[in-house]
Amino acid sequence: MIFKFLRLLKIARVAIKYGLDDIAMSGLAIPRVAKLIDTLIFWRDISAPRGERLRRALEELGPIFVKFGQVLSTRRDLMPADIADELARLQDRVPPFDSALAIAQITKSLGAHPSQLFASFEDVPIASASIAQVHFAVLKDGREVAVKVLRPGMKKSIDEDVALMHLAAEWVERLWADGKRLKPREVVGEFDKYLHDELDLMREAANGSQLRRNFADSTLLMVPEMMWDYCSSSVIVMERMKGIPISQIDRLVAAGVDMKKLSSDGVEIFFTQVFRDGFFHADMHPGNILVSIEPATFGRYIALDFGIVGTLTDFDKDYLSQNFLAFFRRDYKRVAEAHIESGWAPKETRVDELESAVRACCEPIFDRPLKDISFGQILLRLFQTSRRFNVEVQPQLVLLQKTLLNIEGLGRQLDPDLDLWKTAKPYLENWMQEQIGWHGLIDRLKSEAPHFNKLLPQLPRLAHQALLQAGQPRNDNKELLVALLAEQRRTNMLLGTVAYFGIGLLAGLLLMRFVGRWLPWSF
């Protein structure tokens, strides 16, 4: 209890130092309270922008609060733009913890001292983040690896700090005029779940393994191999990747990397993850991306740190396909209808009002030259517009928008003339054709064929059983007999429909196979 009280005092001191009370109370209905506090604490300097002050306060409070700021920076649907932009500058540059603690953690988790596990182990960490730090090592078979070690005592520290965050969120919701709309308690709850998930490094290893499998045959992206014999919930060992950080553009240019190709490759990688796999790396800031300059893999991206990934269901993809298609046609009514049909906008929402709001959001953007259009900003403005209509913005789509903003900003940093629409359009068109075109229909019929193949042989037996049951009334009750006869007619119609559909499906698949063999250009 004493430690919690002392921690609370430190948080209060840092909050006062950087004027976080001024940020929170700026939304109060009675501004005199804020003026009174500012007068009482006259010696502090809070002339810096509010976003900068918030960022510096989180950095001083430690790793958990830094991570919280990083998560907040992804919620651009909730945070003011200036604060979100400043929080996005938070980097995983946290002071490393003692190497002796890292060695003890490895020994406890993997059952042996690093000197027994590895041919060599570097005590000095190469990188340190809010949750873990990384050491380089060499396996006894000569393979170079990176060892990621969870910070000791993180769970206890997280539980204590998050409990204080929940308390602060309740006060923000009560005191701040805009607090309820920003849903601070829900944001903290989401952060709590996300942070506890990230404490399990096996989850990160599994994410990396999935991404590596998805891009096993790719010439654009490399993902390190996980050494599963050396992985646990608090220590993971992966292939060591060598490359130049993507933020070091001068070094990349000096090495001869084609920056325009690198930029377009990044867009292709992102859209492939989203629209082909529905599984995407959602923390693609420059610190997590390298570029290989090895002769065999020259110019390929290298992805690191898989603690945050996004997934999209078929429902999400259907929503995206309808919206993208409507955007291309500038059919804002269809965009509004898609929001209501998906259930994300209340049923009582008037289509014409939502259509008008979406049109006002998008038309000024589309009137610009294509290369000046920001795809991420379109999604951001749509989320902001949707907020007025109480549309529930799905977390996975917020992650998608945040990642798209990162990719777009990074791509234009590499190539200022990047036309994201022109680069992305082929992938979007191909995906929509696969999902809602004839190719998509054919693929779905092929995927369902095994189920029909299993059902069709059972149809005669099912029909016979249905006829026997329908033809054997258990009493002379006239109403029951009429009901049984009606049920028999419905059953016969259903079985006939299924049979005709099955026969037609088989015939169609055979015809498509014949046409595809002799006329491949027809598809």
Side-chain angles (χ1 to χ4, degrees), residues 284-329:
M284 298 188 72
H285 62 73
N288 288 337
I289 304 174
L290 305 177
V291 179
S292 174
I293 57 172
E294 299 292 325
T297 57
F298 187 82
R300 293 188 193 179
Y301 279 86
I302 300 172
L304 303 173
D305 195 346
F306 314 102
I308 307 176
V309 297
T311 57
L312 298 175
T313 64
D314 290 339
F315 181 84
D316 298 327
K317 289 183 178 181
D318 180 64
Y319 163 82
L320 289 173
S321 69
Q322 292 187 50
N323 275 279
F324 280 134
L325 193 61
F327 282 136
F328 288 148
R329 297 174 178 172

Side-chain angles (χ1 to χ4, degrees), residues 17 85 97 103 171 237 297 358 498:
K17 175 182 176 181
D85 289 340
F97 55 89
I103 292 173
W171 280 102
V237 179
T297 57
V358 174
V498 172

Side-chain angles (χ1 to χ4, degrees), residues 301-439:
Y301 279 86
I302 300 172
L304 303 173
D305 195 346
F306 314 102
I308 307 176
V309 297
T311 57
L312 298 175
T313 64
D314 290 339
F315 181 84
D316 298 327
K317 289 183 178 181
D318 180 64
Y319 163 82
L320 289 173
S321 69
Q322 292 187 50
N323 275 279
F324 280 134
L325 193 61
F327 282 136
F328 288 148
R329 297 174 178 172
R330 299 170 88 159
D331 183 357
Y332 304 119
K333 181 179 180 181
R334 182 58 198 144
V335 174
E337 291 173 344
H339 276 73
I340 297 173
E341 290 170 2
S342 68
W344 294 343
K347 292 183 179 179
E348 62 271 14
T349 302
R350 288 184 53 176
V351 174
D352 59 331
E353 291 182 355
L354 184 55
E355 174 191 358
S356 177
V358 174
R359 180 183 296 109
C361 169
C362 296
E363 275 298 306
I365 299 175
F366 280 113
D367 284 339
R368 301 176 186 173
L370 284 179
K371 72 180 184 68
D372 295 334
I373 295 176
S374 169
F375 209 165
Q377 289 296 335
I378 288 178
L379 287 179
L380 175 58
R381 292 187 65 177
L382 277 175
F383 290 163
Q384 293 171 339
T385 299
S386 299
R387 187 188 306 155
R388 292 169 41 203
F389 293 87
N390 296 318
V391 174
E392 293 186 12
V393 179
Q394 304 301 301
Q396 68 275 22
L397 297 185
V398 174
L399 268 181
L400 175 69
Q401 178 263 336
K402 171 254 185 184
T403 307
L404 184 54
L405 280 173
N406 285 346
I407 293 295
E408 189 173 46
L410 180 61
R412 285 183 171 157
Q413 185 180 2
L414 300 174
D415 176 17
D417 295 325
L418 173 68
D419 186 341
L420 185 64
W421 286 89
K422 183 178 179 180
T423 307
K425 189 176 180 182
Y427 308 108
L428 295 175
E429 289 178 338
N430 290 338
W431 179 77
M432 286 189 288
Q433 178 64 23
E434 291 173 0
Q435 294 297 311
I436 60 179
W438 284 106
H439 285 289

Side-chain angles (χ1 to χ4, degrees), residues 31-49:
R32 287 177 295 179
V33 177
K35 291 181 179 179
L36 175 62
I37 294 176
D38 195 41
T39 302
L40 293 175
I41 315 175
F42 60 87
W43 63 84
R44 63 181 178 177
D45 180 10
I46 55 173
S47 59

